[in-house]
């Protein structure tokens, strides 16, 4: 197994011909520390939990997806724009590629949910959702419709603080992720992404009432999150899936 690639705040390489384009807007990143052994069994075959100072993390990331488009075509204004909330883990494969693993992806548009589930084998779920801004706070709400567990929910409000001039090493680790690992034909494929450096703000967690993490099979947090961040967003390009990662033992 190769050493994991360095964590870099800028995308490692350009992407001339994207498979998909989109914008990720009004993002709240809420993270809790987790022992790697607690989530190792949830990773796609061929990946293990990525760690920072001996710990890995579970993230609850709420945002607005905006104008998803294919290749270089203009983004779709209605079906391609919707709230989304993800439960994600942090992964690394035998080639040293760092990424994220999505355990659940709640979204409010049924057509993208169906396409994501059947075309990309992603854990998209159809939910009632909203994102609202008022008085320096941003509130995200979701309640699952299909396929279940029906009624799984999250209600998160963050108060946006000052822009971060230089994120910490942990903040880079949690946000500077240039691909995702996804199980495909019993192995882990890697889908790269490319976007500008994240504009990050400190944020205060005003409310967090959720059971999406437990519904995704991840141990429910019992302590306060170790990191709460906000970003106004970035324009994103997603590339074609790379070849499956080489298999490696997942450990105990």
């Amino acid at each position: 197994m190769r050493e994991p690639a360095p964590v870099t705040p800028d995308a490692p390489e350009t992407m001339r011909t994207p498979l998909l384009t989109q914008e990720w807007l009004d993002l709240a990143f809420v993270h809790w520390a987790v022992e790697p052994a607690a989530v190792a069994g949830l990773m796609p075959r061929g990946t293990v939990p990525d760690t920072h100072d001996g710990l890995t993390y579970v993230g609850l990331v709420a945002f607005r997806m905006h104008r998803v488009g294919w290749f270089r075509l203009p983004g779709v204004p209605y079906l391609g724009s919707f709230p989304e909330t993800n439960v994600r883990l942090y992964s690394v494969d035998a080639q040293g590629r760092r990424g994220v693993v999505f355990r659940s992806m709640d979204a409010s548009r049924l057509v993208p949910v169906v396409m994501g589930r059947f075309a990309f084998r992603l854990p998209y779920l159809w939910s009632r959702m909203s994102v609202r801004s008022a008085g320096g706070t941003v509130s995200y709400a979701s309640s699952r419709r299909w396929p279940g567990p029906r009624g799984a929910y999250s209600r998160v409000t963050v108060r946006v603080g000052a822009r971060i001039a230089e994120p910490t090493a942990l903040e880079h680790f949690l946000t500077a992720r240039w691909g995702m690992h996804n199980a495909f034909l019993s192995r882990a494929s890697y889908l790269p992404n490319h976007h500008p450096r994240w504009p990050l703000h400190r944020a205060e967690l005003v409310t967090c009432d959720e059971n999406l993490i437990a519904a995704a099979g991840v141990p429910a947090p019992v302590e306060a999150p170790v990191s709460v961040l906000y970003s106004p967003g970035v324009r994103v390009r997603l590339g074609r899936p790379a070849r499956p990662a080489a298999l490696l033992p997942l450990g105990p």
Side-chain angles (χ1 to χ4, degrees):
M1 182 175 177
R2 294 182 185 175
E3 285 292 317
V7 176
T8 60
D10 299 298
E13 57 188 47
T14 60
M15 186 179 296
R16 295 183 178 180
T17 307
L19 177 64
L20 291 166
T21 61
Q22 52 202 241
E23 293 180 66
W24 300 336
L25 304 176
D26 293 324
L27 300 98
F29 297 92
V30 186
H31 284 92
W32 293 264
V34 181
E35 290 292 338
V39 297
L42 303 177
M43 313 300 287
R45 192 179 181 204
T47 68
V48 295
D50 196 7
T51 61
H52 177 80
D53 289 341
L55 293 172
T56 192
Y57 295 84
V58 55
L60 186 68
V61 182
F63 64 105
R64 290 191 299 114
M65 183 78 80
H66 186 62
R67 296 185 72 94
V68 177
W70 288 95
F71 307 111
R72 295 181 181 273
L73 298 175
V76 180
Y78 177 74
L79 289 177
S81 298
F82 47 87
E84 182 168 330
T85 297
N86 299 331
V87 174
R88 72 188 199 183
L89 301 174
Y90 291 81
S91 53
V92 63
D93 63 28
Q95 294 170 252
R97 298 175 297 196
R98 290 183 137 120
V100 298
V101 171
F102 292 107
R103 291 295 301 169
S104 65
M105 307 171 76
D106 285 78
S108 65
R109 295 273 188 264
L110 180 58
V111 170
V113 165
V114 172
M115 290 183 62
R117 289 182 69 87
F118 293 101
F120 292 96
R121 306 289 181 90
L122 291 170
Y124 266 108
L125 304 131
W126 187 33
S127 298
R128 294 181 180 87
M129 307 188 76
S130 66
V131 179
R132 295 186 174 91
S133 300
T137 65
V138 187
S139 297
Y140 312 82
S142 70
S143 178
R144 190 167 296 164
R145 290 172 159 176
W146 176 85
R150 189 174 177 85
Y153 68 92
S154 68
R155 291 185 287 273
V156 174
T157 298
V158 298
R159 179 171 290 110
V160 181
R163 174 76 180 266
I164 302 173
E166 181 54 45
T168 66
L170 176 59
E171 289 164 346
H172 281 316
F173 178 89
L174 296 174
T175 59
R177 293 278 143 174
W178 305 113
M180 71 174 178
H181 291 106
N182 188 45
F184 184 71
L185 297 178
S186 300
R187 300 182 72 177
S189 61
Y190 183 79
L191 184 70
N193 68 66
H194 186 281
H195 58 74
R197 183 180 294 207
W198 283 109
L200 294 173
H201 292 248
R202 303 266 179 238
E204 175 191 353
L205 189 61
V206 179
T207 60
C208 183
D209 180 19
E210 63 84 29
N211 62 8
L212 297 185
I213 293 176
V218 180
V222 295
E223 298 181 352
V226 297
S227 176
V228 182
L229 300 170
Y230 170 84
S231 177
V234 291
R235 294 178 62 88
V236 184
R237 292 181 169 196
L238 299 179
R240 291 170 172 79
R243 63 182 181 177
L247 297 181
L248 70 163
L250 293 180

